[in-house]
């Protein structure tokens, strides 16, 4: 899932609906507020529902009791073979040590 703004690419879609939902839940915040350390009251989540046939998706921005629908744009569907991260691109099987590192991070 991805969002982007400010037409970083010429083909970027209109994300005004997404920005409006975030503006409603986080008023007076801008993309440039990088020095602000968010607290518990700033947290929200995006819930994604996938239909049983894997063809229909809905997304909702949730903060407390507020639930705002988000538009769902382009989706891609394909089946992956074991150890692939993209159709036709086989990835070497990882070792148990590498798997543990991905799951739990470095052990100090």
């Amino acid at each position: 899932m991805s969002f982007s703004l400010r037409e970083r690419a010429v083909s970027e879609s209109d994300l005004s609906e997404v920005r409006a939902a975030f503006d409603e839940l986080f008023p007076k915040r801008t993309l440039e507020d990088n020095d602000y350390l968010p607290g518990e009251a700033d947290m929200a989540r995006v819930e994604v529902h996938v239909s049983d046939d894997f063809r229909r998706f809905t997304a909702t921005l949730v903060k407390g009791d507020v639930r705002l629908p988000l538009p769902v744009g382009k989706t891609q569907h394909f089946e992956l073979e074991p150890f692939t991260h993209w159709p036709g691109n086989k990835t070497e099987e990882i070792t148990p040590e590498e798997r543990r590192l991905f799951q739990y991070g470095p052990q100090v």
Side-chain angles (χ1 to χ4, degrees):
M1 177 181 350
S2 65
F3 301 103
S4 56
L5 291 170
R6 305 221 173 129
E7 299 183 337
R8 293 181 198 142
V10 175
S11 62
E12 184 175 299
S13 59
D14 176 15
L15 296 173
S16 58
E17 291 178 73
V18 174
R19 186 71 224 175
F22 279 89
D23 285 342
E24 186 171 334
L25 291 186
F26 305 99
K28 301 179 184 172
R29 291 289 305 274
T30 68
L31 295 173
E32 290 78 20
D33 291 338
N34 292 329
D35 293 333
Y36 176 77
L37 185 61
E40 187 63 32
D42 297 305
M43 297 295 119
R45 68 181 182 276
V46 174
E47 292 180 356
V48 177
H49 179 265
V50 181
S51 66
D52 290 338
D53 65 1
F54 297 102
R55 296 288 177 200
R56 292 180 310 279
F57 299 83
T58 59
T60 308
L61 181 62
V62 180
K63 183 179 177 190
D65 294 334
V66 180
R67 301 176 64 79
L68 301 173
L70 294 174
V72 175
K74 177 180 166 185
T75 60
Q76 293 179 306
H77 305 91
F78 45 81
E79 291 188 30
L80 293 177
E81 297 295 322
F83 306 109
T84 59
H85 63 281
W86 198 254
N89 291 325
K90 184 130 175 96
T91 303
E92 296 300 319
E93 186 171 359
I94 64 174
T95 66
E97 293 79 18
E98 291 171 318
R99 185 177 313 280
R100 201 171 308 109
L101 179 63
F102 282 118
Q103 290 176 327
Y104 305 108
Q107 301 299 307
V108 179

